[in-house]
Each structure stands twice: as structure tokens, then as C-alpha cells.
Amino acid sequence: MKNKLRFILLSLLFVALSCTNSNLPNFEVIERDVYDAPIKSQILLRVEITDTIVTDAQLAELMTKLSGWEMEKKMKFHLVPTHVFIYAFKDKATYEKDASDYLASFEKMGENDPGKFNYKNTLSPKNN
């Protein structure tokens, strides 16, 4: 029994490590709000990029992953969120100073909207 449990835990660890993508920049969630009602199911996600140097391609990949993860969330009133808003910021201070000064965004407004990415600024190299 002990060996079987150890094997399962090691297998899960291997799968988790093999599924990670080290090419994605590190980030922290600043804010995540979920609104779920019969009229709409909405997710708002704001993140800060914590890596010092991030390429535009890495930022684009992160936004693609985040939008995919959030658009797959199960909601109470809809199968998936009808509205998804994701914003990536240089840092939390930038967000607190001006929430419209994001580096990249993903906005999905409505059940049939596939969503749209927007890249306003470049991140590399990050100026502190």
C-alpha cells in the first residue's frame, strides 16, 4: 500500500513538472473577481508580471494561456463565462496609479464573442 501511494505521488509530480511551461513569465494575481448571474457570467483578472525581462512573445503566450484557462471555468448560470476580462500590468503600483496603463489585455464581451487581445506596450526590458 505504501509503495503504491508513493508511486502515485511520484507519477503525479512527474506529470505536474512535465506540464509546466518554463517559457511563461512569472506573474502574480492582483485581483480576480467572479460575477455569476442569469444575465451573464463574468471573470475579471488582473495580474502583474514579476519577471524582470520578458519578451513580447512570452507576454503573448501568457495572455493566451490565461484566457484559455479562464474561458474554460465552469459557471453556475452558464456553461462557461460569457464575459472575460484579463489585464497584465508591469507591476501592482502601475495598476494602482492608472488601471488603464496595462501592457496587454484580453476582452470577451458576450456569449458568442471569441475575445480580442490587445497589446499596448512592450515589456522588455522592464524598467523599474
Side-chain angles (χ1 to χ4, degrees), residues 2-128:
K2 223 177 194 182
N3 286 337
K4 188 173 184 176
L5 182 59
R6 184 178 300 159
F7 174 78
I8 292 171
L9 289 174
L10 287 173
S11 298
L12 289 173
L13 178 62
F14 175 77
V15 169
L17 290 174
S18 64
C19 290
T20 61
N21 189 342
S22 61
N23 198 35
L24 289 178
N26 291 315
F27 68 94
E28 290 186 16
V29 174
I30 298 172
E31 175 184 21
R32 185 172 190 276
D33 288 326
V34 177
Y35 175 81
D36 197 9
I39 194 165
K40 71 176 177 179
S41 294
Q42 176 175 305
I43 295 177
L44 168 65
L45 178 66
R46 292 186 173 104
V47 300
E48 73 171 304
I49 307 300
T50 56
D51 285 344
T52 304
I53 298 176
V54 176
T55 66
D56 295 337
Q58 287 175 309
L59 180 61
E61 186 176 356
L62 175 64
M63 294 302 291
T64 300
K65 294 280 188 190
L66 288 174
S67 64
W69 293 330
E70 293 300 330
M71 287 179 34
E72 292 176 358
K73 301 285 188 218
K74 301 288 185 237
M75 307 299 278
K76 180 178 178 182
F77 293 100
H78 299 89
L79 293 177
V80 295
T82 57
H83 295 66
V84 177
F85 303 97
I86 302 170
Y87 302 95
F89 293 88
K90 175 181 164 184
D91 51 41
K92 188 174 181 178
T94 301
Y95 161 67
E96 290 171 344
K97 181 179 178 185
D98 182 1
S100 68
D101 191 16
Y102 53 84
L103 297 166
S105 69
F106 174 81
E107 297 176 340
K108 176 188 182 313
M109 295 184 265
E111 203 166 343
N112 297 321
D113 181 8
K116 181 180 176 185
F117 293 96
N118 181 31
Y119 299 93
K120 292 173 65 174
N121 301 303
T122 59
L123 189 63
S124 42
K126 184 175 177 181
N127 299 317
N128 290 325

